[in-house]
């Protein structure tokens, strides 16, 4: 688990933390991984962190409403890539609200296509 608190207007970072916690005064007993600040040193799949930005653009541009429905296949081919959700599932129709609640990679990809 890791987190960053920052000012979005200027990018100033106020705090960054990750688990396991590190006690700098007791490095001899540091748990494995405690010296890594994962919120800075670990890469993230953009879909996981960018869904809220895409959702705001979709809602602000009146492309979809929270109750708009989108058919979400179990996987989605995009060029040479296959987009899947974190948990395997059958094809299903989700509302835009459900897409966000379930953090559906497929759903946000299809919703984002509607922005044009």
């Amino acid at each position: 688990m890791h987190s960053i608190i920052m000012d979005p207007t200027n990018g100033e970072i106020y705090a960054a933390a990750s688990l396991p916690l590190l006690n700098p005064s007791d490095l001899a007993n540091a748990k494995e991984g405690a010296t890594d600040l994962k919120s800075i040193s670990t890469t993230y799949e953009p879909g996981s962190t960018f869904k809220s930005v895409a959702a705001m653009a979709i809602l602000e541009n009146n492309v979809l409403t929270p109750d708009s429905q989108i058919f979400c296949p179990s996987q989605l081919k995009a060029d040479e890539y296959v987009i899947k959700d974190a948990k395997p599932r059958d094809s299903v129709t989700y509302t835009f609200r459900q897409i966000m609640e379930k953090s559906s990679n497929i759903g946000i990809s299809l919703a984002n296509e509607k922005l044009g």
Side-chain angles (χ1 to χ4, degrees):
M1 177 188 270
H2 35 275
S3 181
I4 294 178
I5 299 173
M6 72 180 254
D7 183 338
T9 61
N10 63 18
E12 184 177 357
I13 296 176
Y14 297 127
S18 60
L19 293 177
L21 293 176
L22 172 67
N23 180 351
S25 64
D26 188 14
L27 294 177
N29 292 313
K31 293 181 181 177
E32 184 177 339
T35 58
D36 300 331
L37 189 54
K38 295 177 190 83
S39 56
I40 294 172
S41 63
T42 304
T43 58
Y44 298 92
E45 179 183 310
S48 297
T49 58
F50 209 70
K51 285 182 183 112
S52 59
V53 175
M56 287 307 302
I58 289 165
L59 293 171
E60 286 179 353
N61 286 286
N62 298 313
V63 173
L64 296 172
T65 69
D67 296 319
S68 296
Q69 295 186 344
I70 297 177
F71 175 74
C72 300
S74 59
Q75 60 184 23
L76 180 66
K77 187 155 174 51
D79 296 325
E80 68 271 15
Y81 304 100
V82 177
I83 300 170
K84 299 177 183 176
D85 286 345
K87 295 180 181 175
R89 60 163 179 78
D90 293 332
S91 297
V92 66
T93 298
Y94 285 144
T95 64
F96 189 55
R97 179 180 286 112
Q98 289 173 312
I99 288 168
M100 296 306 295
E101 288 171 355
K102 296 178 184 302
S103 193
S104 172
N105 296 324
I106 294 169
I108 199 67
S109 296
L110 293 170
N112 200 48
E113 283 183 349
K114 297 181 180 299
L115 272 172

